[in-house]
Amino acid sequence: MSIFRFPLLVWLGIGILIFSLGIRQSFGIFMMPISDTFGTGREFFSFAIALQNLLFGFFQPFIGMASDRFGSKKIILGGAVAYGLGLYLTSIATEPSMLYLSIGALIGLGLSATSYVIILGSIARVVPAEHTAKAFGLTTSAGSFGMFAVIPGAQALLNQFDWQTAMQIFALLCCMMIAFAAFMKTANEDNSSNTPAVDDSQTLSDALKEAFQNKSYWLIHLGFFVCGFHVMFIATHLPSYLADKGLPAQTAAMALAYVGIFNIFGSYFWGIMGDRFDKRFVMTSLYLMRTVVIAAFVTLPVTENTAVIFGGAIGFCWLGTVPLTSGLVRQIFGARYLSTLYGLVFFTHQVGSFLGAWVGGRIYDYYHSYTPIWWLTVVMAFIAALVHLPINDKPLPRLLAHHAS
């Protein structure tokens, strides 16, 4: 199936992800100005972002269940409102503790309703199984395009205005997510013949029991935990790490932008590889690449050139895990409860994100150096490469029987 023949819902989902994840990935640029405004150390802002990611993951399974039951449109609309409100309240905060509610809880809730789990769950119902990883890869790359487009824009806003004004402009951009969601026709509403058949005989409780008793499901959790740790540590702390090395703020913005633009290609590439080859081995290859890239970055001298090269290299394997991980869950358990089952996996990802964002600041404030945690990410990447090898990726007998009938 050509990407140009994907249903309209896929492209609307892409539009939502561009804004939702583009704004989210820019928060690292706000660490130093917000910390200076409130006179706090980096651990405070790190913890606020870590709380956002933890709640993002905590809300996700429940939001996924609601989306599986009621459809994604209402969920995305409510999430976009919460997202915008969180950004606005952050901009008018007068006490640092307010950020726990605004940039932490409200944006965490908004992200859970406007990001990958809900969008991919909808797409799984309208795209044939043999094209799922490719469709997921294309959709995942949208978040990366948002990162590429929004982060330089965020830096430009900070150069022109204060951080409060930049947050208010971002709050207005949430209206775009509302507009895209308004035109979505969810699978629950779509009775066209192009919609793949879904096994509706299984209950949610049966699906959860089936997944929790499956060893491969827990191995998928473990691998995605590592991904979350990597992504939020780098997104949150790379700007400060480069500033500590004496590099200008524009270098950090450019490095993160390169993460975004190279992930546009990387996510789609890994998605295609997941359709053509065994997803387990593709995941192992991806994590081995991360191991080498991060180890090289912390070993070589940090310059403007190496920072940008690192951004591009790590970007190529940044969120390629999303189409592969969600594709594995869909391949093993089917599409019916993908938003719920992948939502639970994503919660584990966000626990990793919580620790990556918070522990990074904690270690820096204690050691005044990021070196120990950089090497920890190298070790974790290598472990994740090994974890995916014993996964049994064959569809469950229940799915085979359904397709045969």
Side-chain angles (χ1 to χ4, degrees), residues 230-241:
H230 284 167
V231 167
M232 282 314 298
F233 166 69
I234 294 171
T236 304
H237 293 282
L238 182 62
S240 299
Y241 176 72

Side-chain angles (χ1 to χ4, degrees), residues 238-262:
L238 182 62
S240 299
Y241 176 72
L242 295 179
D244 291 341
K245 298 295 184 180
L247 299 180
Q250 288 78 5
T251 301
M254 185 58 65
L256 289 176
Y258 268 64
V259 171
I261 194 169
F262 275 83

Side-chain angles (χ1 to χ4, degrees), residues 183-218:
F183 288 98
M184 292 184 74
K185 189 174 185 180
T186 64
N188 288 353
E189 301 167 335
D190 191 353
N191 296 317
S192 70
S193 59
N194 293 328
T195 302
V198 177
D199 180 9
D200 289 324
S201 62
Q202 188 184 41
T203 65
L204 176 59
S205 60
D206 289 339
L208 292 172
K209 182 178 179 181
E210 180 181 66
F212 292 159
Q213 293 177 347
N214 191 296
K215 176 184 175 182
S216 295
Y217 186 62
W218 294 110

Side-chain angles (χ1 to χ4, degrees), residues 132-143:
T132 297
K134 180 167 65 176
F136 285 1
L138 177 66
T139 308
T140 302
S141 69

